[in-house]
Amino acid sequence: MSSLQAVHNIPEICAQLGITDVVLSPGSRCAPLTIAFARHPAIQVRTVPDERAAAFIGLGLAQTQRRAVALVCTSGTAGLNYAPAVAEAYFQQIPLVLFTADRPPEWIDQLDGQTIRQTDLYGAHAKGTFTFPADTAHTDAQWHATRIVSEAIGLAEQFPAGPVQVNIPLREPFYPKAGEELQFGPIKVTRELPSQAHLPAAVLDDLRAAIRSTNRVLVVGGQHPADPKLLLALRQFAAAYQVPVVGDLIANLHLPAAPDYDQRLRPLGHQDVFMAVPEPGLKEALKPELLITFGQSLISKALKLYLRNSRPAQHWHIQSAGAVADTFQSLTKVVRMEPTTFFASLTGKAHSTTDSTGASEALDPGLIPGATTAMGGLTSALPTPNHATAQDATRVAPRPAPTGPVRLTWASSGSQLSEAEATAKATYLKPWLAAENWATGFLQEFMQQPNQPFNEFTAIYRALQLLPDRTALHLANSMAVRYANILGLPAGRMVEIFANRGTSGIDGCTSTAVGSALAQPDRPVVLLTGDVAFFYDRNAFWHNYPTPNLRVILLNNHAGGIFRMIDGPRQQPELEEFFETRQMLRAENTARDFNLRYFPVSSFAELESALPVFFAPESGASLLEITTDSPTNAKFFEQYRAAVRTSFSQS
């Protein structure tokens, strides 16, 4: 038996435990791992030279496929370059298994080349770290080696998922002899089975009673993968208890659910707009008494600050396991259930949320009943503003007029409530729906104003209207994700949202989208990104794998435009030199280097002409560079903010 047989067993363990994709970066110390993975018949191996880009591409694969992906690198600083993606995976709860090759322990700190202290390399940003035995001649060491690889994969996928390091000390020789075949025989592995949390009937009865007896109940969803079962359970819950549901775009609650849910109770997504309205009466009307949350982070700073200031008497967070953040400083109860099971249980429609492997279902349009049915708008039972032509950019839409009680038509609407309870809840529900209705009309009117200067905010609005159905939309950090969260998507569109909001860094947004494109080659993948994030991560394209389904929309204002939009840096004389990251780069050379079809636009006419061709399937991997002026963008965005502040209060 080869002295490296225990190392050669690693791909077989991965394959048996469901890992099908490995991203590796070339090196000598990792050669035994590289060769073993490359020769295993059940593993798809991709080579990416830049370890930082490789790790984010692996993250994109895992994020899209919703199962663990393995990374392999050589010793020394190579593993340190994984660190940004490791941190993102940790906070976004994405399973990665990091196989870091290393020198044997006796050679650490002995001035040997490519040698650093790799044990527990990622510290608190990894779920765990394992050290592979340096010598595996003894049968106990072989058993130990197999066991820890199984444990590492199980830990990575166990909720809350995350990154796990397996550090592998290796001695020479690294390479098999000429003609030597690697053996991938049957290996005993340890499997993790998912747990199913269900609350006792008495506890569920208490939760139902609390929701029924509390007039002001609000549900807020944080970042969450698209989940058809959750979408339906949440809408049934909202209808049955007449509760408003709010979610940022990254919560993926905007997707269609089923043809028979009440259109007026679709989750609200324009909180970034109406939460900026400086009217105390509105803020008081929206104040919750019971806040129910699930998922991870929020984009909307306005909503986050509002909930911190409103301090509901009760705050329940729904999460099956793991540490829970007290984001709004009001947490009173942690409910250890899957969100889908929780909301379904409260309406008596609980069902399993996982498949036999314990992984949540990835979004497939075919999984959602009535997925092609348009969601429609808020109905005539709610105030419908009469939008006048906007001659003044600060005066767009009048304040919604008061209306009578909200009456719902879906068969199960109010099914958990008495008449008195339904009437009381309608009083709280109505201002939320009215605010969303106003924001929807306001945005449509404002963004379609004639004679606008060419600016990135409106350019994004127009691009989002034309996204192909079934798109996986990746939103880079900084202004791209904020713009998209403000604007939202056209109602009824099948567009799933991804964003690296675990750490909210710009360093791997492009690589993550590339990983997503590799994971689902038959699905359109669109990246909306800014220039600093794009040029920082150009090595995302430095590989040899085609991504004809990838489209990159680049907002190039030759600066870090966000700093002109936020108070603090924009008032400082050092703004341009020390905050904006001024650069004069254009993406044409990058597109040429990596064989991307290039669409440069600098006017609305060019944009309108380019978008249909850019999104066409036959265009292949493409880059649309939208060149704008940073001061013009800032001025137009300030006009938008002024309009929000003044239009709602117009009578």
Side-chain angles (χ1 to χ4, degrees), residues 330-346:
S330 58
L331 189 65
T332 58
K333 194 187 300 288
V334 177
V335 182
R336 291 300 186 184
M337 295 180 78
E338 287 284 342
T340 303
T341 306
F342 171 80
F343 291 113
S345 295
L346 292 174

PDB file of all heavy atoms in Angstrom, residues 330-346:
ATOM      1  N   SER A 330     -33.645  43.741  21.365  1.00  0.00           N
ATOM      2  CA  SER A 330     -34.968  43.528  21.959  1.00  0.00           C
ATOM      3  C   SER A 330     -35.328  42.053  22.071  1.00  0.00           C
ATOM      4  O   SER A 330     -36.481  41.713  22.331  1.00  0.00           O
ATOM      5  CB  SER A 330     -36.031  44.245  21.115  1.00  0.00           C
ATOM      6  OG  SER A 330     -36.007  43.776  19.767  1.00  0.00           O
ATOM      7  N   LEU A 331     -34.361  41.143  21.876  1.00  0.00           N
ATOM      8  CA  LEU A 331     -34.637  39.716  21.801  1.00  0.00           C
ATOM      9  C   LEU A 331     -35.197  39.190  23.124  1.00  0.00           C
ATOM     10  O   LEU A 331     -34.620  39.413  24.190  1.00  0.00           O
ATOM     11  CB  LEU A 331     -33.357  38.962  21.443  1.00  0.00           C
ATOM     12  CG  LEU A 331     -33.497  37.480  21.109  1.00  0.00           C
ATOM     13  CD1 LEU A 331     -34.317  37.289  19.843  1.00  0.00           C
ATOM     14  CD2 LEU A 331     -32.110  36.852  20.932  1.00  0.00           C
ATOM     15  N   THR A 332     -36.347  38.497  23.055  1.00  0.00           N
ATOM     16  CA  THR A 332     -36.958  37.911  24.247  1.00  0.00           C
ATOM     17  C   THR A 332     -37.143  36.398  24.141  1.00  0.00           C
ATOM     18  O   THR A 332     -37.310  35.732  25.160  1.00  0.00           O
ATOM     19  CB  THR A 332     -38.337  38.539  24.531  1.00  0.00           C
ATOM     20  OG1 THR A 332     -39.190  38.351  23.388  1.00  0.00           O
ATOM     21  CG2 THR A 332     -38.207  40.034  24.821  1.00  0.00           C
ATOM     22  N   LYS A 333     -37.134  35.851  22.909  1.00  0.00           N
ATOM     23  CA  LYS A 333     -37.391  34.425  22.760  1.00  0.00           C
ATOM     24  C   LYS A 333     -36.671  33.911  21.522  1.00  0.00           C
ATOM     25  O   LYS A 333     -36.728  34.526  20.459  1.00  0.00           O
ATOM     26  CB  LYS A 333     -38.898  34.170  22.626  1.00  0.00           C
ATOM     27  CG  LYS A 333     -39.324  32.714  22.807  1.00  0.00           C
ATOM     28  CD  LYS A 333     -40.806  32.528  22.477  1.00  0.00           C
ATOM     29  CE  LYS A 333     -41.721  33.353  23.357  1.00  0.00           C
ATOM     30  NZ  LYS A 333     -41.808  32.854  24.733  1.00  0.00           N
ATOM     31  N   VAL A 334     -35.992  32.767  21.657  1.00  0.00           N
ATOM     32  CA  VAL A 334     -35.394  32.066  20.520  1.00  0.00           C
ATOM     33  C   VAL A 334     -36.183  30.784  20.311  1.00  0.00           C
ATOM     34  O   VAL A 334     -36.286  29.959  21.224  1.00  0.00           O
ATOM     35  CB  VAL A 334     -33.906  31.745  20.764  1.00  0.00           C
ATOM     36  CG1 VAL A 334     -33.342  30.942  19.589  1.00  0.00           C
ATOM     37  CG2 VAL A 334     -33.106  33.032  20.953  1.00  0.00           C
ATOM     38  N   VAL A 335     -36.762  30.636  19.123  1.00  0.00           N
ATOM     39  CA  VAL A 335     -37.561  29.454  18.806  1.00  0.00           C
ATOM     40  C   VAL A 335     -36.705  28.543  17.943  1.00  0.00           C
ATOM     41  O   VAL A 335     -36.353  28.890  16.809  1.00  0.00           O
ATOM     42  CB  VAL A 335     -38.861  29.839  18.071  1.00  0.00           C
ATOM     43  CG1 VAL A 335     -39.694  28.590  17.792  1.00  0.00           C
ATOM     44  CG2 VAL A 335     -39.659  30.840  18.907  1.00  0.00           C
ATOM     45  N   ARG A 336     -36.366  27.358  18.472  1.00  0.00           N
ATOM     46  CA  ARG A 336     -35.443  26.448  17.795  1.00  0.00           C
ATOM     47  C   ARG A 336     -36.201  25.568  16.793  1.00  0.00           C
ATOM     48  O   ARG A 336     -36.481  24.399  17.033  1.00  0.00           O
ATOM     49  CB  ARG A 336     -34.712  25.594  18.816  1.00  0.00           C
ATOM     50  CG  ARG A 336     -33.725  26.374  19.672  1.00  0.00           C
ATOM     51  CD  ARG A 336     -32.642  27.028  18.827  1.00  0.00           C
ATOM     52  NE  ARG A 336     -31.597  27.666  19.639  1.00  0.00           N
ATOM     53  CZ  ARG A 336     -30.584  28.358  19.142  1.00  0.00           C
ATOM     54  NH1 ARG A 336     -30.492  28.509  17.818  1.00  0.00           N
ATOM     55  NH2 ARG A 336     -29.691  28.905  19.923  1.00  0.00           N
ATOM     56  N   MET A 337     -36.529  26.181  15.660  1.00  0.00           N
ATOM     57  CA  MET A 337     -37.195  25.484  14.567  1.00  0.00           C
ATOM     58  C   MET A 337     -36.701  26.057  13.248  1.00  0.00           C
ATOM     59  O   MET A 337     -36.213  27.188  13.193  1.00  0.00           O
ATOM     60  CB  MET A 337     -38.721  25.661  14.622  1.00  0.00           C
ATOM     61  CG  MET A 337     -39.407  25.054  15.812  1.00  0.00           C
ATOM     62  SD  MET A 337     -41.206  25.332  15.758  1.00  0.00           S
ATOM     63  CE  MET A 337     -41.688  24.090  14.555  1.00  0.00           C
ATOM     64  N   GLU A 338     -36.858  25.274  12.178  1.00  0.00           N
ATOM     65  CA  GLU A 338     -36.687  25.831  10.846  1.00  0.00           C
ATOM     66  C   GLU A 338     -37.801  26.847  10.613  1.00  0.00           C
ATOM     67  O   GLU A 338     -38.957  26.605  10.994  1.00  0.00           O
ATOM     68  CB  GLU A 338     -36.774  24.728   9.790  1.00  0.00           C
ATOM     69  CG  GLU A 338     -35.571  23.810   9.741  1.00  0.00           C
ATOM     70  CD  GLU A 338     -34.376  24.467   9.074  1.00  0.00           C
ATOM     71  OE1 GLU A 338     -34.572  25.477   8.369  1.00  0.00           O
ATOM     72  OE2 GLU A 338     -33.252  23.971   9.264  1.00  0.00           O
ATOM     73  N   PRO A 339     -37.520  28.010  10.003  1.00  0.00           N
ATOM     74  CA  PRO A 339     -38.580  29.000   9.770  1.00  0.00           C
ATOM     75  C   PRO A 339     -39.787  28.427   9.033  1.00  0.00           C
ATOM     76  O   PRO A 339     -40.931  28.737   9.374  1.00  0.00           O
ATOM     77  CB  PRO A 339     -37.872  30.075   8.946  1.00  0.00           C
ATOM     78  CG  PRO A 339     -36.441  29.978   9.356  1.00  0.00           C
ATOM     79  CD  PRO A 339     -36.198  28.519   9.605  1.00  0.00           C
ATOM     80  N   THR A 340     -39.553  27.576   8.026  1.00  0.00           N
ATOM     81  CA  THR A 340     -40.678  27.001   7.286  1.00  0.00           C
ATOM     82  C   THR A 340     -41.577  26.200   8.208  1.00  0.00           C
ATOM     83  O   THR A 340     -42.810  26.328   8.183  1.00  0.00           O
ATOM     84  CB  THR A 340     -40.173  26.095   6.148  1.00  0.00           C
ATOM     85  OG1 THR A 340     -39.316  26.854   5.301  1.00  0.00           O
ATOM     86  CG2 THR A 340     -41.324  25.550   5.329  1.00  0.00           C
ATOM     87  N   THR A 341     -40.968  25.354   9.047  1.00  0.00           N
ATOM     88  CA  THR A 341     -41.750  24.533   9.967  1.00  0.00           C
ATOM     89  C   THR A 341     -42.485  25.398  10.981  1.00  0.00           C
ATOM     90  O   THR A 341     -43.637  25.126  11.331  1.00  0.00           O
ATOM     91  CB  THR A 341     -40.828  23.538  10.694  1.00  0.00           C
ATOM     92  OG1 THR A 341     -40.083  22.795   9.727  1.00  0.00           O
ATOM     93  CG2 THR A 341     -41.627  22.580  11.553  1.00  0.00           C
ATOM     94  N   PHE A 342     -41.845  26.442  11.450  1.00  0.00           N
ATOM     95  CA  PHE A 342     -42.475  27.341  12.421  1.00  0.00           C
ATOM     96  C   PHE A 342     -43.736  27.966  11.849  1.00  0.00           C
ATOM     97  O   PHE A 342     -44.825  27.880  12.446  1.00  0.00           O
ATOM     98  CB  PHE A 342     -41.477  28.427  12.836  1.00  0.00           C
ATOM     99  CG  PHE A 342     -42.084  29.533  13.662  1.00  0.00           C
ATOM    100  CD1 PHE A 342     -42.307  29.358  15.017  1.00  0.00           C
ATOM    101  CD2 PHE A 342     -42.430  30.748  13.081  1.00  0.00           C
ATOM    102  CE1 PHE A 342     -42.867  30.374  15.780  1.00  0.00           C
ATOM    103  CE2 PHE A 342     -42.988  31.768  13.831  1.00  0.00           C
ATOM    104  CZ  PHE A 342     -43.215  31.584  15.188  1.00  0.00           C
ATOM    105  N   PHE A 343     -43.616  28.614  10.678  1.00  0.00           N
ATOM    106  CA  PHE A 343     -44.775  29.317  10.121  1.00  0.00           C
ATOM    107  C   PHE A 343     -45.862  28.336   9.699  1.00  0.00           C
ATOM    108  O   PHE A 343     -47.058  28.611   9.868  1.00  0.00           O
ATOM    109  CB  PHE A 343     -44.346  30.198   8.950  1.00  0.00           C
ATOM    110  CG  PHE A 343     -43.517  31.373   9.358  1.00  0.00           C
ATOM    111  CD1 PHE A 343     -42.184  31.475   8.989  1.00  0.00           C
ATOM    112  CD2 PHE A 343     -44.052  32.382  10.135  1.00  0.00           C
ATOM    113  CE1 PHE A 343     -41.410  32.556   9.376  1.00  0.00           C
ATOM    114  CE2 PHE A 343     -43.292  33.471  10.540  1.00  0.00           C
ATOM    115  CZ  PHE A 343     -41.961  33.556  10.159  1.00  0.00           C
ATOM    116  N   ALA A 344     -45.465  27.173   9.169  1.00  0.00           N
ATOM    117  CA  ALA A 344     -46.460  26.179   8.784  1.00  0.00           C
ATOM    118  C   ALA A 344     -47.156  25.594  10.007  1.00  0.00           C
ATOM    119  O   ALA A 344     -48.368  25.335   9.982  1.00  0.00           O
ATOM    120  CB  ALA A 344     -45.799  25.075   7.963  1.00  0.00           C
ATOM    121  N   SER A 345     -46.425  25.398  11.107  1.00  0.00           N
ATOM    122  CA  SER A 345     -47.016  24.832  12.316  1.00  0.00           C
ATOM    123  C   SER A 345     -48.085  25.752  12.892  1.00  0.00           C
ATOM    124  O   SER A 345     -49.105  25.284  13.423  1.00  0.00           O
ATOM    125  CB  SER A 345     -45.937  24.574  13.368  1.00  0.00           C
ATOM    126  OG  SER A 345     -45.019  23.593  12.938  1.00  0.00           O
ATOM    127  N   LEU A 346     -47.871  27.038  12.794  1.00  0.00           N
ATOM    128  CA  LEU A 346     -48.829  27.985  13.363  1.00  0.00           C
ATOM    129  C   LEU A 346     -50.121  28.063  12.566  1.00  0.00           C
ATOM    130  O   LEU A 346     -51.123  28.583  13.048  1.00  0.00           O
ATOM    131  CB  LEU A 346     -48.189  29.370  13.471  1.00  0.00           C
ATOM    132  CG  LEU A 346     -47.064  29.464  14.509  1.00  0.00           C
ATOM    133  CD1 LEU A 346     -46.393  30.817  14.459  1.00  0.00           C
ATOM    134  CD2 LEU A 346     -47.588  29.189  15.912  1.00  0.00           C
TER     135      LEU A 346
END
